[in-house]
Amino acid sequence: MSSASAPTLTTRNAALEDLVDLLRHQQAHKVDVVVHSDQIRAEGARLRISTAPLLSERGVTTTAGLYTPTTVCDGGVAGKLAIPLPYLRRLREHKPDLYDANVNGWLADADRRFLLRGLRGDGEHGIARAFLSDSYRIIDNFDVLMAALDGVRQSGVQVQIDGCDLTERRMYVRVVCEQVRALAPDLLRDYRSPFTGERGADNPVVFAGFVITNSEVGEGAFTIVPRLVVQVCRNGMTINADAARHVHLGGRMDEGVVRWSADTQDKNLALITAQTRDAITTFLDLDYVRVKLEQLARMSGARVADPAATIELVAKKLSYTEEQQRQILSHFIQGGDTSAGGVMHAVTSVARTLPDADTAHEMEGQAVRVLHLAAGA
């Protein structure tokens, strides 16, 4: 399989079953290898790994070959070799020979080991997904998802999967519990869904939920983040300050193909299952939801005298693009709520429309910050 026909890396707003199928497919093609810097060489802006085949009880495993780096992997190469990332990206696009010269020059002086996370093809070509420290603890998306779902099952709480995303950076699984609901009339009194036109005053219901996130490529810890879902529009507001995290750090690994012992793997997954049960107890609790809604409602009522200026301020503070700023203003107008809460709703509704799941999740996580900025403008 060439890199062009390698396993799919991403999906947006997928059903749980589709995400599971994709993760299983990726698992079958994964290669994780700790390599010394003298076994890595850049060729044509790709990475050639020259490791020897490994003989084990599973047979012969071959990791040698050419791997095309993703943008995430290029970021790892730049960080580990102290090459400015914008410069490295420019070389990839315009001067691949200089990309090779820079990477090979700094690899020659590195004298250290790295963890390469890749996807193997049928031939010698594959995808290099991440270039990491050899102390990185691997917690794969598929294992995280299965352990978290086991925690949900053990809790006995009835939940629904509100959508799944997989990017080159992270996995996101949104979970909602419609049985745990609270009324938020002050937060939704003047709001109208830009998607359906339904009014918050007629249905001021908010559901409890959370988001399971994980990165296999060094782009963030395994987390469970509480999330509130507005029924009339399905906008989500994640409360990042209360997130539970499990960091991907461990001891140095020996060179060669990475395989955790069954005992180590079982302990990691048991911890994730336990954390999920604890998160459900905390986040899918009516008192927790009511407290968070009261906090949001206290800031949401501030009137916005100049919506364009306020949204411009929010966009500048949170580094939104001009197009995102334009979309937020449009959603604010459609929402009809001229308060600080209306600005927050506009940001979270725009997040739902974005094709980039990483950006969408980040926007949802800024709901409280948006409210603060809009109320103080």
Side-chain angles (χ1 to χ4, degrees):
M1 178 189 314
S2 69
S3 59
S5 59
T8 303
L9 293 177
T10 65
T11 187
R12 179 81 166 108
N13 291 321
L16 177 62
E17 296 79 6
D18 294 331
L19 176 65
V20 169
D21 287 344
L22 177 54
L23 294 178
R24 279 181 173 149
H25 187 57
Q26 288 188 1
Q27 287 289 97
H29 290 83
K30 279 180 183 173
V31 55
D32 297 313
V33 58
V34 175
V35 290
H36 193 271
S37 49
D38 61 11
Q39 296 176 302
I40 312 168
R41 183 168 182 82
E43 293 182 10
R46 293 185 289 182
L47 300 179
R48 179 173 289 282
I49 307 301
S50 57
T51 51
L54 179 70
L55 179 63
S56 70
E57 70 278 1
R58 300 187 183 186
V60 178
T61 301
T62 302
T63 58
L66 272 174
Y67 294 83
T68 301
T70 62
T71 55
V72 174
C73 184
D74 265 346
V77 171
K80 294 294 181 288
L81 300 181
I83 303 171
L85 181 56
Y87 174 65
L88 193 66
R89 287 174 173 165
R90 186 180 177 195
L91 294 183
R92 166 174 295 287
E93 184 175 355
H94 300 290
K95 297 284 186 180
D97 55 333
L98 288 181
Y99 178 103
D100 295 348
N102 275 267
V103 171
N104 290 333
W106 290 110
L107 279 172
D109 293 339
D111 190 24
R112 56 176 294 196
R113 297 178 303 183
F114 303 98
L115 169 63
L116 179 81
R117 303 214 70 189
L119 292 173
R120 187 188 295 107
D122 291 336
E124 70 161 3
H125 296 93
I127 296 174
R129 305 168 59 221
F131 194 77
L132 300 161
S133 163
D134 62 349
S135 63
Y136 183 80
R137 178 187 295 164
I138 295 172
I139 307 178
D140 279 337
N141 289 332
F142 182 80
D143 295 330
V144 163
L145 181 57
M146 292 299 103
L149 292 177
D150 189 38
V152 171
R153 180 190 60 79
Q154 291 180 22
S155 75
V157 176
Q158 295 299 309
V159 301
Q160 299 80 42
I161 303 300
D162 202 34
C164 307
D165 301 316
L166 185 66
T167 74
E168 289 185 3
R169 300 179 184 278
R170 299 182 188 90
M171 172 185 72
Y172 307 94
V173 179
R174 295 179 293 280
V175 180
V176 64
C177 180
E178 297 188 358
Q179 285 72 34
V180 180
R181 58 176 67 193
L183 298 180
D186 293 338
L187 185 65
L188 299 171
R189 179 186 298 113
D190 300 320
Y191 181 61
R192 181 175 60 247
S193 169
F195 306 111
T196 66
E198 293 183 47
R199 290 165 44 85
D202 299 329
N203 184 20
V205 174
V206 176
F207 301 131
F210 56 89
V211 184
I212 298 164
T213 75
N214 187 58
S215 176
E216 297 184 332
V217 294
E219 292 290 314
F222 159 68
T223 62
I224 305 173
V225 190
R227 182 174 186 257
L228 306 177
V229 181
V230 178
Q231 185 174 24
V232 296
C233 57
R234 305 304 293 192
N235 293 352
M237 298 167 285
T238 52
I239 315 296
N240 286 337
D242 294 345
R245 290 179 171 83
H246 188 65
V247 180
H248 294 244
L249 293 175
R252 299 284 176 185
M253 292 182 282
D254 294 331
E255 290 182 30
V257 175
V258 177
R259 292 198 181 98
W260 292 107
S261 71
D263 182 60
T264 298
Q265 189 76 349
D266 289 346
K267 287 178 179 177
N268 272 329
L269 300 182
L271 178 58
I272 290 170
T273 300
Q275 286 179 321
T276 304
R277 290 198 311 268
D278 292 344
I280 288 172
T281 300
T282 302
F283 302 147
L284 302 189
D285 176 78
L286 187 56
D287 288 337
Y288 174 85
V289 174
R290 285 172 173 163
V291 167
K292 294 304 171 182
L293 289 175
E294 287 172 5
Q295 292 172 354
L296 295 174
R298 281 198 293 269
M299 295 180 287
S300 67
R303 291 294 116 186
V304 175
D306 189 340
T310 298
I311 290 172
E312 182 179 3
L313 170 67
V314 170
K316 182 177 181 181
K317 291 285 188 180
L318 299 180
S319 302
Y320 296 153
T321 66
E322 289 185 8
E323 175 59 20
Q324 289 165 354
Q325 179 180 329
R326 185 195 65 76
Q327 291 176 338
I328 291 167
L329 180 58
S330 175
H331 279 233
F332 177 84
I333 293 170
Q334 294 176 66
D337 184 348
T338 59
S339 69
V343 179
M344 180 190 70
H345 293 311
V347 170
T348 56
S349 64
V350 166
R352 289 186 54 208
T353 70
L354 298 179
D356 184 333
D358 293 318
T359 303
H361 181 77
E362 184 177 1
M363 265 194 178
E364 278 202 2
Q366 292 167 336
V368 177
R369 179 93 189 276
V370 168
L371 203 51
H372 276 285
L373 290 170

